[in-house]
Amino acid sequence: MPSHRYRPAHERVEIPEIRRAWPGRRIERAPLWVPVDLRDGNQALAEPMDTPRKRRMFDLLVAMGFKEIEVGYPSSSRTDFDFVRHLATRCAVPDDVTPVVFTAARRDLIEQTFASIQGMPRAVVHLYTATAPVWRDVVLGQDRAGLHALIREAAGHIARLADAMPETALRFEFSPEVFNCTEPDFILEVCNGLTRLWDASPDRPVVHNLPATVEIATPNLYADQIEYMHRHLERRDAVILSVHPHNDRGTGVACAELAVLAGAQRVEGCLFGNGERTGNVDLVTLALNLYAQGVDPMVDFSDIDVIRQTVEECNRLPVHVRHPYGGDLVYTAFSGTHQDAISKGLAHHERAAAERGVPVGEAPWSVPYLPIDPADVGRTYEAVIRVNSQSGKGGIAHLLQAHHGLDLPKALRAEFSRVVQDATDRSGREATPEDLLRLFRAAYMAQDGPVTLGGGEGEGAGPAAALAAALEASGIAVEVLWQGGHPADDGAVAYARCRVGDTSVWGAGEDTDAASASARAVLAAVNRALAGQRGDRSQG
């Protein structure tokens, strides 16, 4: 492959020299999350959202607790303009939520943006212009001085229009698009100039949003760029330092996390990472990464499936089944070793909660392979362990107990797992809990065979006596090696390991009481042994 055509990051962008502080820091509180699903995410859709889909997405974001939401690019399309007007005229924005509207640095587009927010009590006007050298040369046809003048003129027009709209509490945001590929001294010059022009103050801060519009380097270099800006921005207490990473290298989440360590206070992204090319940074993963470290994400993910389904319906794009935290299979184990560890971990967690005297959902979480409790995001334990040909005895036993109340003896678990593996190998499909129950009953509880209860032998007697009579009449000597059982919803379940001739075999039984269930377990074991002996003779 022609790798010589590409330059490494250090040859493409100046990385400022700093004495890094960010590697020694920890994230101890959530930044301000700003979802851009309705703008940046929407631009990336083959079928952009109409107003009903946009409203559904907006209502989801509000319900989750986001306090700043970018609601559109009103000058980009009639649909976007109409949606912002819909929010303004329907009083749809709660008092504690601030909408953000996006505009390029052109006078007519800025005026259309202001027209869209007429009547809103508050808003952030988000101005953007690409600043990187290749964009200046190829797209904009501007040198540094010319581009800076264009940005100042646009920002001044925004300030004048805001002065003419006193009924709306307005704040301003600037994004030097492709910040990560732009000379740091130029970005600093432009951002500090806008801080002064917009007269930023702690009670009316300016947002400087620094996008990794196209990821070109490892996340540590982005963190260096952010820390440089964090240290050198003027009126730092009047500036909200924001980041907007993309995912071209697959490290958007890492870029955002390291940027927060480096001084960023605000993160723009999309739920589940939708966006152009490989997507915007994923706010679900970012927020739940913090949650898994004991940091309150300040956003509600307690029903992750509803969130995912709503996003899928609004975007008309599927969320991958292995997507962190939200995919269908991320809390599911098929591997036998994983299942065994999870099953033991869940049991240990329940015991630890009982010892502490707290509900299971309040006890400290420490279960192998599960970084967070699936119940915290609305998942159930039943979905954690699923069975296919790779599964082991621990997972199979867990599902039988969780779904059907069957607590198999340890020795029987190993034997039954081979029955399940044979069935799943032959079918090539996953075995559901119902499949497992059918397999178990067919293998260990079948009552048909040469030996039966009742009939002419021992009629009217109890189950144990009837069984003894039947065995004696048949000339069958049975030694019960082990028996046990437990209560069940409709009575009792029993398990028995018996020696019949030279064969040691398991059986299980269900009945309304323990004695009858035990008799049925022995009967099932005898019939399994006799069936096996007949099979051996026929093969011979």
Side-chain angles (χ1 to χ4, degrees):
M1 296 179 69
S3 59
H4 63 276
R5 301 179 61 212
Y6 305 98
R7 291 180 295 158
H10 69 271
E11 293 181 9
R12 298 172 62 183
V13 61
E14 177 188 347
I15 305 298
E17 290 291 333
I18 61 168
R19 295 184 65 183
R20 297 176 182 87
W22 63 261
R25 295 181 181 141
R26 291 182 297 172
I27 302 176
E28 297 179 337
R29 57 178 295 181
L32 173 63
W33 309 114
V34 181
V36 296
D37 300 77
L38 293 164
R39 194 274 300 175
D40 203 351
N42 188 55
Q43 290 173 208
L45 299 178
E47 300 176 48
M49 288 181 267
D50 54 17
T51 291
R53 284 158 65 200
K54 279 176 169 282
R55 180 59 191 270
R56 189 172 180 197
M57 178 72 81
F58 178 78
D59 289 344
L60 171 68
L61 298 171
V62 168
M64 292 175 68
F66 291 104
K67 299 307 179 187
E68 245 182 60
I69 300 171
E70 193 162 84
V71 296
Y73 190 168
S75 62
S76 68
S77 69
R78 187 72 201 182
T79 303
D80 265 34
F81 183 90
D82 288 347
F83 178 66
V84 178
R85 293 306 303 147
H86 166 86
L87 295 178
T89 57
R90 303 290 181 89
C91 299
V93 182
D95 291 341
D96 61 346
V97 173
T98 300
V100 182
V101 286
F102 190 76
T103 180
R106 255 178 48 190
R107 177 178 288 260
D108 58 329
L109 302 183
I110 292 169
E111 290 172 354
Q112 192 171 358
T113 301
F114 272 80
S116 74
I117 60 174
Q118 287 284 343
M120 281 189 171
R122 76 201 69 80
V124 173
V125 177
H126 182 177
L127 174 69
Y128 86 96
T129 302
T131 54
V134 68
W135 271 257
R136 295 197 306 259
D137 297 340
V138 174
V139 181
L140 302 173
Q142 296 276 3
D143 60 12
R144 282 174 51 153
L147 183 59
H148 195 173
L150 183 152
I151 294 169
R152 282 198 308 269
E153 168 55 30
H157 194 48
I158 284 174
R160 291 188 292 274
L161 292 175
D163 288 341
M165 195 186 288
E167 71 279 5
T168 301
L170 288 170
R171 292 190 293 109
F172 309 125
E173 175 178 355
F174 174 62
S175 284
E177 191 179 358
V178 215
F179 154 80
N180 60 320
C181 297
T182 306
E183 308 93 329
D185 66 309
F186 182 48
I187 294 293
L188 196 61
E189 176 187 347
V190 171
C191 288
N192 284 339
L194 294 185
T195 299
R196 295 190 295 270
L197 188 154
W198 283 331
D199 194 21
S201 62
D203 61 342
R204 191 169 178 253
V206 163
V207 177
H208 286 312
N209 182 57
L210 308 177
T213 306
V214 180
E215 250 194 331
I216 66 160
T218 52
N220 59 299
L221 296 186
Y222 187 55
D224 287 349
Q225 292 173 308
I226 297 302
E227 186 162 5
Y228 172 82
M229 296 296 292
H230 168 59
R231 292 185 185 181
H232 293 92
L233 283 169
E234 295 178 3
R235 304 192 197 182
R236 189 63 187 86
D237 63 344
V239 171
I240 297 172
L241 179 53
S242 176
V243 292
H244 182 119
H246 279 250
N247 198 45
D248 299 87
R249 289 169 50 90
T251 57
V253 167
C255 278
E257 290 180 321
L258 297 193
V260 171
L261 292 175
Q265 302 148 286
R266 181 181 183 272
V267 178
E268 295 185 353
C270 288
L271 297 180
F272 300 104
N274 176 51
E276 292 178 292
R277 304 182 310 281
T278 59
N280 290 287
V281 71
D282 176 3
L283 295 186
V284 173
T285 301
L286 279 169
L288 289 174
N289 279 355
L290 289 188
Y291 182 71
Q293 298 296 311
V295 176
D296 185 350
M298 305 302 289
V299 183
D300 184 2
F301 292 96
S302 60
D303 198 339
I304 195 74
D305 288 341
V306 167
I307 294 169
R308 188 191 73 243
Q309 290 157 12
T310 303
V311 170
E312 287 178 326
E313 290 166 8
C314 290
N315 288 341
R316 295 179 179 170
L317 290 173
V319 172
H320 197 279
V321 294
R322 295 292 182 190
H323 194 101
Y325 299 108
D328 268 341
L329 295 181
V330 295
Y331 304 106
T332 299
F334 291 104
S335 161
T337 55
H338 288 212
Q339 290 176 343
D340 184 59
I342 290 171
S343 180
K344 289 175 179 174
L346 293 175
H348 179 270
H349 178 70
E350 290 184 3
R351 291 194 300 271
E355 290 169 2
R356 287 172 173 261
V358 298
V360 170
E362 296 295 325
W365 182 254
S366 182
V367 173
Y369 296 112
L370 295 177
I372 67 171
D373 185 346
D376 288 352
V377 290
R379 292 288 179 85
T380 59
Y381 293 129
E382 286 75 7
V384 170
I385 293 175
R386 289 163 59 176
V387 171
N388 62 16
S389 59
Q390 302 179 84
S391 303
K393 60 183 183 297
I396 292 166
H398 174 85
L399 289 182
L400 280 177
Q401 184 170 25
H403 288 266
H404 305 298
L406 297 180
D407 186 9
L408 272 58
K410 287 185 178 180
L412 180 54
R413 294 176 189 179
E415 182 179 307
F416 180 53
S417 71
R418 293 191 288 272
V419 174
V420 174
Q421 187 171 38
D422 180 65
T424 51
D425 273 334
R426 284 186 282 105
S427 71
R429 297 195 304 270
E430 178 184 350
T432 67
E434 290 68 31
D435 293 333
L436 296 179
L437 181 62
R438 283 193 293 271
L439 283 170
F440 184 78
R441 282 179 168 160
Y444 296 98
M445 288 184 167
Q447 298 297 305
D448 54 331
V451 181
T452 60
L453 288 177
E457 298 164 328
E459 188 172 1
L467 176 61
L471 296 175
E472 184 177 356
S474 301
I476 300 171
V478 178
E479 181 184 358
V480 178
L481 303 175
W482 184 93
Q483 61 181 335
H486 53 77
D489 288 342
D490 298 324
V493 174
Y495 311 96
R497 184 170 182 81
C498 301
R499 181 179 289 115
V500 181
D502 296 329
T503 303
S504 178
V505 65
W506 280 98
E510 298 174 295
D511 215 314
T512 55
D513 59 83
S516 300
S518 294
R520 290 189 180 279
V522 172
L523 173 68
V526 170
N527 279 326
R528 290 189 69 226
L530 296 178
Q533 291 169 4
R534 289 200 309 274
D536 291 342
R537 286 194 296 271
S538 65
Q539 290 174 10

